[in-house]
């Protein structure tokens, strides 16, 4: 037991926080639906994208480690242009407030699902009242978590949540390993054929599913936010090698294993179903995941799945409110460090926690659809994040002797190209979904 705690103490840090946030509803949705529609054929992509995830987040982290008292947006303002900083903030903050609403909705719906309550099981007014009460309860608990003890407790709790999610989806996926030969074939790169949906005249586009997997790790909040987390976590001499090793463990091993388990869970439990092409809701998936469990304990599958989704939403919500608080204070030239005596940070944090919680029950849109949709909205900001990283990491005035190497620049350039492609492919769908929702 002592050795376990010793090991966990070595992985606690900003990389663990970002990993827990990335293992959120959007990534889980993309991964489980990839397994549901295309079985194990996209496991290779989930693995292939990991080096980009590790390098890009670690690169952003280095900016904070080298510049402990200069925030990301201050650096953008000083070394790129003030207008660039304000343009990013103008997109970044409203989008993250709405993303927070989406994840709060998922928290409340997952909690209610644990007790058998669904929107169609009670009248709308009663469900909304219960949802609002739960949203306020969740927000107060998060305020206590983040404000009472501060940064170090938050890191420990987020690391624990990351491990809990990992275990939840490992349990769901374990039975799928009996199909190990098919899983191993999923390591061979290939683009699966599009999957027609019977009777609907549409198909599940494998290209869009692939882009969703890529997009789930190219999170602008992580790239802009981890520099602040790293600056607040760092004490003593900077050890970039040690921090990079933590990034590999958290972002590569934990998130990589998690993404594989989720795809396997979908591929084993849902792909064999006759109507697997019609499934487009993780809530629906949670109800029929019973095949992943032995018959005697199959009733536990939806509960474990809902619990995993709820924790995933909580972790992403915490990262969202933190990085948004950092950004707002930094752009306003206020002290942004997350310390017990920084009352401005605490007030900003409480406001940003409460705002999405109070608004979320009144947004008439399914909880999962909000998350899938808002992952698409993020595509507008992702290319900007990579451009900022490439500029700042190559300025000696910012990084000193630790300017980016050629290999790091190549990986980040690949990230930029992928993010631009993601924007062009997904943005039309985002506009279409928003337009149809407003029309409805």
């Amino acid at each position: 037991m002592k050795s376990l705690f010793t090991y966990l103490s070595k992985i606690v840090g900003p990389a663990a926080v970002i990993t827990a946030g990335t293992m959120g509803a959007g990534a889980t949705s993309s991964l489980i639906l990839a397994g549901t529609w295309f079985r194990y054929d996209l496991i290779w992509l989930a693995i292939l994208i990991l080096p980009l995830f590790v390098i890009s987040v670690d690169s952003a982290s280095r900016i904070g480690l080298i510049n402990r008292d200069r925030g990301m947006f201050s650096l953008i303002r000083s070394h790129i242009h003030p207008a660039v900083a304000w343009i990013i903030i103008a997109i970044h903050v409203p989008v993250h407030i709405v993303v927070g609403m989406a994840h709060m909705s998922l928290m409340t719906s997952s909690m209610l699902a644990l007790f058998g309550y669904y929107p169609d099981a009670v009248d709308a007014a009663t469900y909304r009242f219960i949802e609002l009460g739960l949203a306020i309860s969740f927000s107060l608990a998060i305020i206590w978590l983040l404000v009472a003890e501060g940064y170090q407790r938050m890191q420990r709790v987020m690391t624990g949540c990351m491990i809990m999610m990992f275990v939840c989806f490992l349990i769901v996926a374990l039975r799928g390993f009996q199909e190990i030969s098919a899983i191993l074939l999923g390591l061979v790169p290939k683009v699966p054929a599009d999957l027609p949906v019977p009777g609907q005249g549409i198909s599940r586009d494998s290209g869009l599913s692939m882009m969703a997997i890529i997009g789930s790790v190219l999170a602008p909040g992580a790239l802009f936010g981890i520099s602040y987390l790293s600056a607040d976590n760092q004490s003593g001499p900077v050890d970039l090698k040690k921090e990079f090793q933590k990034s590999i463990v958290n972002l590569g091993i934990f998130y990589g294993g998690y993404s594989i388990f989720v795809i396997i869970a979908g591929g084993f439990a849902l792909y064999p179903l006759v109507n697997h092409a019609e499934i487009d809701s993780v809530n629906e998936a949670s109800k029929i995941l019973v095949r992943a469990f032995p018959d005697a304990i199959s009733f536990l599958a939806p509960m474990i799945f809902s619990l995993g989704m709820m924790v995933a939403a909580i972790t992403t919500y915490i990262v969202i409110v933190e990085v948004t608080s950092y950004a707002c204070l930094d752009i306003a030239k206020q002290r942004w460090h997350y310390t017990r005596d920084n009352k401005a940070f605490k007030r900003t944090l409480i406001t940003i926690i409460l705002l999405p919680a109070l608004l979320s029950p009144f947004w008439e849109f399914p909880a999962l659809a909000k998350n899938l949709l808002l992952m698409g909205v993020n595509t507008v900001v992702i290319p900007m994040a990579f451009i900022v990283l490439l500029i700042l990491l190559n300025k000696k005035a910012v990084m000193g002797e630790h300017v980016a190497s050629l290999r790091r620049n190549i990986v980040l350039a690949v990230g930029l190209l992928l993010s631009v492609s993601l924007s062009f492919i997904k943005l039309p769908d985002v506009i279409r979904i928003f337009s149809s929702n407003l029309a409805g």
Side-chain angles (χ1 to χ4, degrees):
M1 183 63 71
K2 185 177 179 181
S3 61
L4 175 61
F5 282 115
T6 301
Y7 175 74
L8 292 178
S9 68
K10 292 180 180 179
I11 65 172
V12 171
V17 174
I18 293 299
T19 303
T22 304
M23 289 160 59
T28 303
S29 304
S30 300
L31 293 165
I32 197 142
L33 291 177
T36 300
W37 297 335
F38 305 110
R39 203 185 181 194
Y40 309 126
D41 287 352
L42 293 179
I43 289 178
W44 65 271
L45 181 62
I47 296 173
L48 186 65
I49 200 68
L50 292 176
L52 174 58
F53 186 35
V54 172
I55 295 296
S56 60
V57 175
D58 180 72
S59 297
S61 175
R62 289 185 172 209
I63 294 174
L65 291 169
I66 303 298
N67 301 273
R68 298 183 199 174
D69 294 316
R70 293 189 294 170
M72 175 68 82
F73 285 96
S74 292
L75 292 170
I76 295 171
R77 187 167 47 213
S78 300
H79 295 279
I80 301 178
H81 197 279
V84 174
W86 282 104
I87 288 170
I88 295 173
I89 282 288
I91 301 170
H92 180 79
V93 174
V95 164
H96 277 78
I97 294 296
V98 182
V99 171
M101 291 166 57
H103 281 81
M104 181 57 73
S105 291
L106 195 68
M107 277 183 244
T108 55
S109 61
S110 295
M111 173 64 85
L112 290 170
L114 284 172
F115 297 97
Y117 286 95
Y118 299 94
D120 55 357
V122 295
D123 66 271
T126 302
Y127 188 87
R128 180 173 292 173
F129 178 78
I130 296 172
E131 188 179 11
L132 179 59
L134 269 179
I136 293 171
S137 299
F138 272 120
S139 62
L140 292 176
I142 291 170
I143 288 170
W144 171 80
L145 168 66
L146 297 184
V147 175
E149 289 287 331
Y151 187 84
Q152 297 304 323
R153 175 197 269 181
M154 178 275 298
Q155 287 196 142
R156 293 193 297 271
V157 170
M158 291 288 278
T159 304
C161 287
M162 175 184 72
I163 294 169
M164 184 185 296
M165 286 186 286
F166 187 93
V167 171
C168 280
F169 286 97
L170 171 61
I171 290 171
V172 173
L174 274 176
R175 204 174 178 201
F177 281 99
Q178 65 186 264
E179 299 181 346
I180 189 63
S181 58
I183 291 170
L184 290 175
L185 287 175
L187 299 175
V188 180
K190 55 184 168 296
V191 178
D194 293 346
L195 177 67
V197 181
Q200 296 188 25
I202 61 172
S203 62
R204 304 301 184 190
D205 190 321
S206 62
L208 284 177
S209 194
M210 292 171 68
M211 294 308 290
I213 292 173
I214 296 170
S216 65
V217 301
L218 301 181
L223 297 181
F224 286 125
I226 195 171
S227 63
Y228 297 101
L229 294 169
S230 297
D232 271 349
N233 183 64
Q234 182 64 36
S235 59
V238 176
D239 189 340
L240 296 182
K241 183 178 180 180
K242 181 179 178 181
E243 295 302 320
F244 183 56
Q245 289 171 349
K246 283 189 176 183
S247 294
I248 292 173
V249 172
N250 285 290
L251 306 172
I253 296 175
F254 269 99
Y255 181 78
Y258 176 84
S259 59
I260 292 169
F261 297 155
V262 175
I263 291 176
I264 290 173
F268 176 76
L270 304 175
Y271 179 83
L273 298 173
V274 174
N275 67 330
H276 76 107
E278 301 171 25
I279 297 172
D280 59 4
S281 162
V282 171
N283 287 334
E284 182 183 4
S286 71
K287 298 175 188 177
I288 54 180
L289 269 177
V290 292
R291 184 176 182 268
F293 278 57
D295 292 340
I297 57 171
S298 61
F299 67 94
L300 290 175
M303 296 172 63
I304 290 176
F305 190 88
S306 294
L307 179 62
M309 289 298 290
M310 184 177 70
V311 177
I314 291 171
T315 56
T316 304
Y317 194 84
I318 289 174
V319 172
I320 287 167
V321 298
E322 277 200 279
V323 300
T324 306
S325 299
Y326 279 127
C328 289
L329 289 168
D330 189 20
I331 199 69
K333 299 183 179 180
Q334 300 295 310
R335 190 161 70 95
W336 50 264
H337 285 287
Y338 187 176
T339 57
R340 290 189 181 185
D341 65 335
N342 190 348
K343 293 182 179 179
F345 186 92
K346 290 182 178 180
R347 286 194 294 267
T348 304
L349 190 64
I350 289 170
T351 301
I352 295 174
I353 290 171
L354 287 173
L355 187 60
L358 295 173
L359 293 175
S360 62
F362 302 97
W363 186 12
E364 295 288 347
F365 210 40
L368 176 66
K370 294 173 188 175
N371 285 283
L372 293 175
L373 176 59
L374 291 165
M375 279 184 67
V377 175
N378 266 343
T379 62
V380 177
V381 191
I382 297 170
M384 300 169 98
F386 274 100
I387 291 170
V388 165
L389 287 183
L390 282 164
I391 294 172
L392 294 182
L393 287 164
N394 288 282
K395 280 186 173 288
K396 283 195 173 182
V398 176
M399 299 302 295
E401 62 181 299
H402 301 291
V403 292
S405 65
L406 176 61
R407 284 180 296 183
R408 191 172 288 265
N409 279 323
I410 290 172
V411 173
L412 293 173
V414 169
L416 175 60
L417 291 174
L418 279 175
S419 64
V420 170
S421 302
L422 183 66
S423 297
F424 276 111
I425 291 173
K426 292 193 74 175
L427 197 55
D429 289 328
V430 172
I431 295 170
R432 175 180 55 79
I433 295 171
F434 257 131
S435 300
S436 62
N437 182 52
L438 291 173

